[in-house]
Short mmCIF file of all heavy atoms in Angstrom, two decimals:
data_model
loop_
_atom_site.label_atom_id
_atom_site.label_comp_id
_atom_site.label_asym_id
_atom_site.label_seq_id
_atom_site.Cartn_x
_atom_site.Cartn_y
_atom_site.Cartn_z
N TYR A 1 0.84 -1.20 0.00
CA TYR A 1 0.00 0.00 0.00
C TYR A 1 0.88 1.25 0.00
O TYR A 1 1.88 1.33 0.71
CB TYR A 1 -0.91 0.01 1.23
CG TYR A 1 -1.94 -1.09 1.26
CD1 TYR A 1 -2.21 -1.78 2.45
CD2 TYR A 1 -2.65 -1.45 0.12
CE1 TYR A 1 -3.16 -2.80 2.50
CE2 TYR A 1 -3.60 -2.47 0.16
CZ TYR A 1 -3.84 -3.14 1.35
OH TYR A 1 -4.78 -4.15 1.39
N THR A 2 0.45 2.24 -0.77
CA THR A 2 1.18 3.51 -0.84
C THR A 2 0.27 4.71 -0.57
O THR A 2 0.76 5.82 -0.44
CB THR A 2 1.82 3.70 -2.23
OG1 THR A 2 0.77 3.71 -3.23
CG2 THR A 2 2.80 2.57 -2.55
N GLY A 3 -1.03 4.49 -0.50
CA GLY A 3 -1.97 5.59 -0.35
C GLY A 3 -2.69 5.59 0.97
O GLY A 3 -2.08 5.55 2.05
N GLY A 4 -4.03 5.62 0.91
CA GLY A 4 -4.82 5.73 2.14
C GLY A 4 -4.67 4.55 3.06
O GLY A 4 -4.66 4.71 4.29
N LEU A 5 -4.56 3.34 2.52
CA LEU A 5 -4.40 2.18 3.39
C LEU A 5 -3.04 2.14 4.04
O LEU A 5 -2.89 1.62 5.15
CB LEU A 5 -4.68 0.90 2.59
CG LEU A 5 -6.15 0.66 2.26
CD1 LEU A 5 -6.32 -0.52 1.33
CD2 LEU A 5 -6.97 0.46 3.53
N LYS A 6 -2.03 2.72 3.40
CA LYS A 6 -0.73 2.83 4.06
C LYS A 6 -0.82 3.77 5.26
O LYS A 6 -0.29 3.48 6.34
CB LYS A 6 0.33 3.34 3.09
CG LYS A 6 1.71 3.49 3.75
CD LYS A 6 2.75 3.97 2.77
CE LYS A 6 4.11 4.10 3.47
NZ LYS A 6 5.17 4.56 2.53
N ARG A 7 -1.50 4.88 5.07
CA ARG A 7 -1.66 5.84 6.17
C ARG A 7 -2.39 5.19 7.34
O ARG A 7 -1.96 5.32 8.50
CB ARG A 7 -2.41 7.06 5.68
CG ARG A 7 -2.75 8.07 6.77
CD ARG A 7 -3.34 9.31 6.16
NE ARG A 7 -4.02 10.14 7.15
CZ ARG A 7 -4.70 11.24 6.85
NH1 ARG A 7 -4.78 11.65 5.60
NH2 ARG A 7 -5.31 11.94 7.79
N LEU A 8 -3.47 4.49 7.07
CA LEU A 8 -4.20 3.84 8.15
C LEU A 8 -3.43 2.67 8.74
O LEU A 8 -3.58 2.36 9.93
CB LEU A 8 -5.57 3.37 7.64
CG LEU A 8 -6.54 4.48 7.22
CD1 LEU A 8 -7.85 3.88 6.73
CD2 LEU A 8 -6.80 5.46 8.36
N SER A 9 -2.59 2.03 7.94
CA SER A 9 -1.77 0.91 8.44
C SER A 9 -0.69 1.38 9.41
O SER A 9 -0.09 0.56 10.11
CB SER A 9 -1.10 0.18 7.27
OG SER A 9 -2.05 -0.39 6.41
N ASN A 10 -0.44 2.67 9.41
CA ASN A 10 0.55 3.25 10.33
C ASN A 10 -0.12 4.08 11.42
O ASN A 10 0.53 4.94 12.02
CB ASN A 10 1.53 4.13 9.54
CG ASN A 10 2.40 3.31 8.61
OD1 ASN A 10 2.85 2.23 8.97
ND2 ASN A 10 2.62 3.80 7.40
N ALA A 11 -1.40 3.82 11.67
CA ALA A 11 -2.13 4.54 12.71
C ALA A 11 -2.40 3.60 13.88
O ALA A 11 -1.47 3.04 14.45
CB ALA A 11 -3.42 5.11 12.12
N ILE A 12 -3.63 3.42 14.26
CA ILE A 12 -3.99 2.50 15.35
C ILE A 12 -4.54 1.24 14.69
O ILE A 12 -5.60 1.28 14.06
CB ILE A 12 -5.02 3.13 16.29
CG1 ILE A 12 -4.48 4.45 16.86
CG2 ILE A 12 -5.38 2.17 17.42
CD1 ILE A 12 -5.51 5.27 17.59
N VAL A 13 -3.80 0.16 14.81
CA VAL A 13 -4.06 -1.02 13.98
C VAL A 13 -4.38 -2.24 14.83
O VAL A 13 -3.60 -2.64 15.70
CB VAL A 13 -2.82 -1.32 13.09
CG1 VAL A 13 -3.08 -2.55 12.22
CG2 VAL A 13 -2.48 -0.11 12.23
N PHE A 14 -5.54 -2.79 14.56
CA PHE A 14 -5.90 -4.12 15.06
C PHE A 14 -5.95 -5.01 13.81
O PHE A 14 -6.96 -5.04 13.11
CB PHE A 14 -7.24 -4.09 15.79
CG PHE A 14 -7.24 -3.21 17.01
CD1 PHE A 14 -7.57 -1.86 16.91
CD2 PHE A 14 -6.89 -3.73 18.25
CE1 PHE A 14 -7.55 -1.04 18.03
CE2 PHE A 14 -6.87 -2.91 19.38
CZ PHE A 14 -7.20 -1.57 19.27
N PRO A 15 -4.84 -5.67 13.48
CA PRO A 15 -4.73 -6.31 12.16
C PRO A 15 -5.64 -7.51 11.97
O PRO A 15 -5.90 -7.92 10.85
CB PRO A 15 -3.26 -6.72 12.11
CG PRO A 15 -2.87 -6.90 13.53
CD PRO A 15 -3.64 -5.87 14.30
N SER A 16 -6.12 -8.08 13.08
CA SER A 16 -6.89 -9.31 12.95
C SER A 16 -8.00 -9.34 14.00
O SER A 16 -8.01 -10.15 14.91
CB SER A 16 -5.98 -10.54 13.12
OG SER A 16 -6.65 -11.72 12.80
N SER A 17 -8.96 -8.44 13.83
CA SER A 17 -10.12 -8.41 14.72
C SER A 17 -11.17 -9.38 14.20
O SER A 17 -10.93 -10.10 13.24
CB SER A 17 -10.67 -6.99 14.84
OG SER A 17 -11.12 -6.54 13.57
N TYR A 18 -12.33 -9.38 14.82
CA TYR A 18 -13.32 -10.42 14.52
C TYR A 18 -14.71 -9.89 14.20
O TYR A 18 -15.22 -9.02 14.90
CB TYR A 18 -13.46 -11.39 15.70
CG TYR A 18 -12.33 -12.37 15.83
CD1 TYR A 18 -11.17 -12.02 16.51
CD2 TYR A 18 -12.40 -13.64 15.27
CE1 TYR A 18 -10.12 -12.92 16.63
CE2 TYR A 18 -11.36 -14.55 15.38
CZ TYR A 18 -10.22 -14.19 16.06
OH TYR A 18 -9.16 -15.07 16.18
N GLN A 19 -15.28 -10.42 13.13
CA GLN A 19 -16.73 -10.51 13.00
C GLN A 19 -17.04 -11.84 13.68
O GLN A 19 -16.80 -12.91 13.11
CB GLN A 19 -17.16 -10.53 11.53
CG GLN A 19 -17.09 -9.19 10.84
CD GLN A 19 -18.28 -8.31 11.18
OE1 GLN A 19 -19.14 -8.65 11.99
NE2 GLN A 19 -18.35 -7.13 10.55
N SER A 20 -17.51 -11.79 14.89
CA SER A 20 -17.44 -12.95 15.79
C SER A 20 -18.39 -14.09 15.42
O SER A 20 -18.13 -15.25 15.74
CB SER A 20 -17.75 -12.51 17.21
OG SER A 20 -17.03 -11.35 17.53
N HIS A 21 -19.48 -13.79 14.76
CA HIS A 21 -20.56 -14.74 14.55
C HIS A 21 -20.25 -15.74 13.44
O HIS A 21 -19.29 -15.58 12.68
CB HIS A 21 -21.83 -13.96 14.21
CG HIS A 21 -21.62 -12.97 13.10
ND1 HIS A 21 -21.15 -11.70 13.34
CD2 HIS A 21 -21.79 -13.06 11.76
CE1 HIS A 21 -21.05 -11.05 12.18
NE2 HIS A 21 -21.43 -11.86 11.21
N ALA A 22 -21.12 -16.75 13.34
CA ALA A 22 -20.93 -17.81 12.34
C ALA A 22 -21.42 -17.40 10.96
O ALA A 22 -20.82 -17.79 9.95
CB ALA A 22 -21.67 -19.07 12.78
N ALA A 23 -22.50 -16.66 10.88
CA ALA A 23 -23.12 -16.31 9.58
C ALA A 23 -22.41 -15.11 8.96
O ALA A 23 -22.92 -13.99 8.95
CB ALA A 23 -24.61 -16.02 9.76
N THR A 24 -21.21 -15.35 8.45
CA THR A 24 -20.36 -14.26 7.96
C THR A 24 -20.78 -13.83 6.55
O THR A 24 -20.07 -14.03 5.57
CB THR A 24 -18.88 -14.68 7.98
OG1 THR A 24 -18.76 -15.98 7.35
CG2 THR A 24 -18.36 -14.76 9.39
N GLU A 25 -21.94 -13.21 6.49
CA GLU A 25 -22.48 -12.67 5.25
C GLU A 25 -22.51 -11.15 5.33
O GLU A 25 -22.27 -10.56 6.39
CB GLU A 25 -23.88 -13.23 4.99
CG GLU A 25 -23.90 -14.73 4.78
CD GLU A 25 -25.28 -15.28 4.49
OE1 GLU A 25 -26.28 -14.60 4.82
OE2 GLU A 25 -25.36 -16.39 3.94
N THR A 26 -22.83 -10.52 4.21
CA THR A 26 -22.74 -9.07 4.10
C THR A 26 -23.67 -8.34 5.06
O THR A 26 -23.26 -7.41 5.77
CB THR A 26 -23.04 -8.63 2.66
OG1 THR A 26 -22.08 -9.21 1.79
CG2 THR A 26 -22.99 -7.12 2.51
N CYS A 27 -24.93 -8.74 5.10
CA CYS A 27 -25.89 -8.00 5.92
C CYS A 27 -25.62 -8.16 7.42
O CYS A 27 -25.58 -7.17 8.15
CB CYS A 27 -27.31 -8.44 5.57
SG CYS A 27 -28.51 -7.10 5.59
N PRO A 28 -25.43 -9.39 7.92
CA PRO A 28 -25.10 -9.52 9.35
C PRO A 28 -23.84 -8.75 9.73
O PRO A 28 -23.79 -8.08 10.76
CB PRO A 28 -24.91 -11.03 9.52
CG PRO A 28 -25.70 -11.66 8.44
CD PRO A 28 -25.59 -10.71 7.28
N GLY A 29 -22.80 -8.85 8.88
CA GLY A 29 -21.55 -8.16 9.20
C GLY A 29 -21.71 -6.66 9.28
O GLY A 29 -21.22 -6.01 10.20
N HIS A 30 -22.40 -6.08 8.30
CA HIS A 30 -22.60 -4.64 8.34
C HIS A 30 -23.48 -4.22 9.51
O HIS A 30 -23.36 -3.10 10.02
CB HIS A 30 -23.21 -4.16 7.02
CG HIS A 30 -22.19 -3.96 5.93
ND1 HIS A 30 -22.03 -4.83 4.89
CD2 HIS A 30 -21.27 -2.99 5.76
CE1 HIS A 30 -21.06 -4.41 4.11
NE2 HIS A 30 -20.58 -3.28 4.60
N SER A 31 -24.35 -5.12 9.95
CA SER A 31 -25.22 -4.76 11.08
C SER A 31 -24.46 -4.66 12.39
O SER A 31 -24.97 -4.07 13.35
CB SER A 31 -26.37 -5.77 11.22
OG SER A 31 -25.98 -6.94 11.92
N THR A 32 -23.26 -5.22 12.47
CA THR A 32 -22.48 -5.15 13.72
C THR A 32 -21.64 -3.89 13.83
O THR A 32 -21.32 -3.44 14.93
CB THR A 32 -21.53 -6.36 13.85
OG1 THR A 32 -20.43 -6.23 12.92
CG2 THR A 32 -22.25 -7.67 13.61
N ILE A 33 -21.24 -3.32 12.69
CA ILE A 33 -20.17 -2.32 12.68
C ILE A 33 -20.54 -1.06 13.45
O ILE A 33 -19.71 -0.52 14.20
CB ILE A 33 -19.78 -1.99 11.21
CG1 ILE A 33 -19.11 -3.22 10.57
CG2 ILE A 33 -18.83 -0.80 11.16
CD1 ILE A 33 -18.85 -3.07 9.07
N LEU A 34 -21.74 -0.55 13.27
CA LEU A 34 -22.13 0.70 13.94
C LEU A 34 -23.30 0.52 14.90
O LEU A 34 -23.95 1.50 15.27
CB LEU A 34 -22.43 1.78 12.90
CG LEU A 34 -21.20 2.33 12.16
CD1 LEU A 34 -21.60 3.33 11.09
CD2 LEU A 34 -20.19 2.95 13.12
N THR A 35 -23.58 -0.72 15.30
CA THR A 35 -24.60 -0.95 16.33
C THR A 35 -24.01 -1.43 17.64
O THR A 35 -24.67 -1.36 18.68
CB THR A 35 -25.63 -2.01 15.89
OG1 THR A 35 -24.97 -3.27 15.76
CG2 THR A 35 -26.28 -1.63 14.57
N GLY A 36 -22.78 -1.96 17.60
CA GLY A 36 -22.18 -2.52 18.81
C GLY A 36 -22.77 -3.85 19.21
O GLY A 36 -22.55 -4.31 20.33
N SER A 37 -23.51 -4.50 18.32
CA SER A 37 -24.25 -5.71 18.68
C SER A 37 -24.04 -6.83 17.67
O SER A 37 -23.90 -6.58 16.47
CB SER A 37 -25.74 -5.40 18.80
OG SER A 37 -25.99 -4.44 19.82
N HIS A 38 -24.06 -8.06 18.19
CA HIS A 38 -24.00 -9.23 17.33
C HIS A 38 -25.32 -9.41 16.58
O HIS A 38 -26.36 -8.86 17.00
CB HIS A 38 -23.72 -10.48 18.16
CG HIS A 38 -22.39 -10.47 18.84
ND1 HIS A 38 -22.22 -10.82 20.17
CD2 HIS A 38 -21.15 -10.15 18.39
CE1 HIS A 38 -20.95 -10.72 20.50
NE2 HIS A 38 -20.28 -10.31 19.43
N PRO A 39 -25.33 -10.19 15.49
CA PRO A 39 -26.59 -10.42 14.77
C PRO A 39 -27.70 -11.00 15.63
O PRO A 39 -28.88 -10.76 15.33
CB PRO A 39 -26.16 -11.41 13.68
CG PRO A 39 -24.72 -11.08 13.42
CD PRO A 39 -24.17 -10.75 14.78
N ALA A 40 -27.36 -11.73 16.68
CA ALA A 40 -28.40 -12.24 17.58
C ALA A 40 -29.21 -11.10 18.18
O ALA A 40 -30.40 -11.27 18.48
CB ALA A 40 -27.76 -13.07 18.70
N ARG A 41 -28.61 -9.94 18.35
CA ARG A 41 -29.31 -8.78 18.90
C ARG A 41 -29.83 -7.86 17.80
O ARG A 41 -30.92 -7.28 17.93
CB ARG A 41 -28.37 -7.99 19.84
CG ARG A 41 -29.09 -6.94 20.67
CD ARG A 41 -28.10 -6.06 21.42
NE ARG A 41 -27.33 -6.77 22.43
CZ ARG A 41 -27.56 -6.72 23.73
NH1 ARG A 41 -28.57 -5.99 24.19
NH2 ARG A 41 -26.79 -7.37 24.58
N THR A 42 -29.08 -7.71 16.71
CA THR A 42 -29.53 -6.83 15.63
C THR A 42 -30.71 -7.43 14.88
O THR A 42 -31.47 -6.72 14.22
CB THR A 42 -28.41 -6.54 14.61
OG1 THR A 42 -28.11 -7.72 13.86
CG2 THR A 42 -27.16 -6.02 15.30
N GLY A 43 -30.85 -8.77 14.94
CA GLY A 43 -31.91 -9.45 14.21
C GLY A 43 -31.54 -9.75 12.77
O GLY A 43 -32.31 -10.39 12.05
N ILE A 44 -30.35 -9.34 12.35
CA ILE A 44 -29.93 -9.55 10.95
C ILE A 44 -29.09 -10.82 10.90
O ILE A 44 -27.86 -10.80 10.96
CB ILE A 44 -29.16 -8.33 10.42
CG1 ILE A 44 -29.97 -7.05 10.66
CG2 ILE A 44 -28.84 -8.50 8.95
CD1 ILE A 44 -31.34 -7.04 9.99
N ILE A 45 -29.77 -11.95 10.82
CA ILE A 45 -29.12 -13.25 10.95
C ILE A 45 -28.48 -13.75 9.66
O ILE A 45 -27.66 -14.67 9.69
CB ILE A 45 -30.12 -14.31 11.45
CG1 ILE A 45 -31.25 -14.47 10.43
CG2 ILE A 45 -30.66 -13.93 12.82
CD1 ILE A 45 -32.05 -15.73 10.57
N ALA A 46 -28.85 -13.17 8.52
CA ALA A 46 -28.35 -13.61 7.22
C ALA A 46 -28.71 -12.55 6.18
O ALA A 46 -29.43 -11.59 6.49
CB ALA A 46 -28.97 -14.96 6.84
#
């Protein structure tokens, strides 16, 4: 990386965090990012 991802790679980095749940699909994953909750709570199971 030479651009924006390089800049963020040299900031505060958690290189291997988790989408913790089993149903690793687009909708469940996006439902966790700005809700603070797993799909079991967001209701977005798949």
Side-chain angles (χ1 to χ4, degrees):
Y1 294 138
T2 60
L5 287 172
K6 179 179 180 179
R7 174 173 164 185
L8 295 180
S9 297
N10 293 319
I12 303 169
V13 180
F14 298 90
S16 189
S17 62
Y18 283 85
Q19 284 281 4
S20 313
H21 51 274
T24 49
E25 296 181 340
T26 299
C27 217
H30 278 104
S31 82
T32 73
I33 293 172
L34 289 177
T35 65
S37 298
H38 296 134
R41 192 188 294 258
T42 70
I44 308 301
I45 61 162

